[in-house]
């Protein structure tokens, strides 16, 4: 079961890993966008690290915690990534409203709810060289692992592998959504920064599971 201690550890791991990758994410965005993706995500992550203790104290259930994180991302991240990554957490929170625990199927379902939300507000789908090209393959890989009865850690490991494959795939396609679409065919050959952040996030969920989830 996923409980509050795991969720908090995972969120902190996620924020720290994003901060560690700030320069790399900026560099990736510099090649096909305006070079601010790392700055945007790291800024919100620093605020999250600072505010996590307060969020833990005042928010009881998993849904409310995820909602708070989503609100931070929406209000603190500039550019298009704010509403997009914010929506991922807001929808994941909605899917867990009032829940104190989440099982592994619930974890995959809430990622799916988040991905659908991003797709809706981004008016985007797979194959457009965005964060969704890491998110949807990760979810599919996790669903497959669930179907064959894998445990949490294996489900998350499958998610990491799926996200990584998706990130690699973004190098081969042209951007048709977001700022990178402005450079058309010249976006081919470059890795999408938002997809890279998704891989970092899912890897953080996996890393925290190694420590906090026992099966
Ligand atoms: P901005 O593009 O406003 O500078 P960021 O650089 O922070 O914002 O984020 C860029 C990332 O956002 C892209 O790498 C891509 O993954 C994601 N993105 C952009 N537009 C969309 C969209 N319509 N749907 C899904 N993801 C998108
Ligand atoms: Mg940018």
């Amino acid at each position: 079961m996923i409980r509050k201690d795991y969720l908090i550890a995972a969120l902190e791991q996620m924020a720290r890993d994003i901060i560690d990758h700030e320069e790399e994410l900026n560099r990736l965005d510099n090649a096909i966008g305006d070079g601010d993706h790392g700055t945007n995500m790291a800024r919100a992550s620093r605020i999250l690290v600072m505010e996590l203790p307060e969020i833990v104290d005042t928010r009881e259930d998993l849904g409310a915690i995820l909602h708070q994180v989503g609100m931070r991302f929406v209000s603190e991240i500039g550019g298009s990534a704010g509403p997009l990554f914010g929506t991922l957490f807001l929808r994941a929170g909605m899917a867990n409203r009032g829940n104190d625990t989440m099982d592994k199927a619930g974890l995959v379902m809430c990622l799916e709810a988040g991905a659908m939300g991003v797709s809706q507000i981004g008016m985007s789908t797979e194959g457009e060289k965005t964060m969704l090209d890491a998110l949807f393959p990760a979810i599919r890989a996790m669903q497959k692992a669930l179907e064959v009865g894998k445990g949490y850690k294996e489900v998350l490991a499958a998610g990491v592998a799926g996200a990584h494959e998706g990130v690699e795939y973004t190098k081969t396609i042209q951007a048709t959504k977001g700022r990178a679409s402005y450079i058309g065919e010249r976006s081919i050959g470059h890795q999408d920064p938002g997809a890279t952040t998704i891989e970092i996030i899912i890897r953080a969920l996996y890393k925290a599971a190694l420590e906090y989830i026992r099966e």
Side-chain angles (χ1 to χ4, degrees), residues 55 59-69 93 96-98:
I55 293 175
R59 306 289 153 170
E60 284 306 316
D61 64 85
L62 303 180
I65 292 170
L66 288 164
H67 178 83
Q68 281 298 307
V69 175
N96 281 289
R97 197 177 287 165

Side-chain angles (χ1 to χ4, degrees), residues 74-178:
V74 170
S75 59
E76 301 298 342
I77 309 182
S80 46
L84 292 166
F85 281 88
T87 296
L88 178 63
F89 287 97
L90 288 174
R91 293 290 175 95
M94 240 186 261
N96 281 289
R97 197 177 287 165
N99 295 349
D100 292 321
T101 60
M102 193 192 311
D103 63 12
K104 55 194 176 201
L107 171 69
V108 180
M109 259 165 46
C110 90
L111 279 175
E112 200 176 6
M116 306 284 261
V118 173
S119 172
Q120 233 172 43
I121 67 147
M123 291 185 289
S124 46
T125 180
E126 275 185 89
E128 298 190 291
K129 200 181 182 95
T130 71
M131 59 193 280
L132 293 178
D133 289 310
L135 197 47
F136 279 118
I139 292 166
R140 279 197 298 271
M142 291 170 86
Q143 279 164 343
K144 259 197 202 144
L146 269 182
E147 278 163 24
V148 296
K150 303 277 190 195
Y152 275 99
K153 289 165 210 172
E154 290 163 308
V155 168
L156 280 164
V160 173
H164 184 75
E165 259 175 52
V167 168
E168 291 298 313
Y169 168 64
T170 65
K171 293 178 184 170
T172 68
I173 56 174
Q174 181 177 335
T176 53
K177 283 284 150 61

Side-chain angles (χ1 to χ4, degrees), residues 5-19:
D5 62 344
Y6 166 74
L7 181 62
I8 300 299
L11 290 169
E12 181 157 5
Q13 183 75 53
M14 169 192 91
R16 294 196 186 284
D17 289 351
I18 289 172
I19 294 166

Side-chain angles (χ1 to χ4, degrees), residues 29 33-37 40 179:
D29 194 30
D34 55 357
D36 65 350
H37 185 64
N40 290 338
R179 218 177 271 279

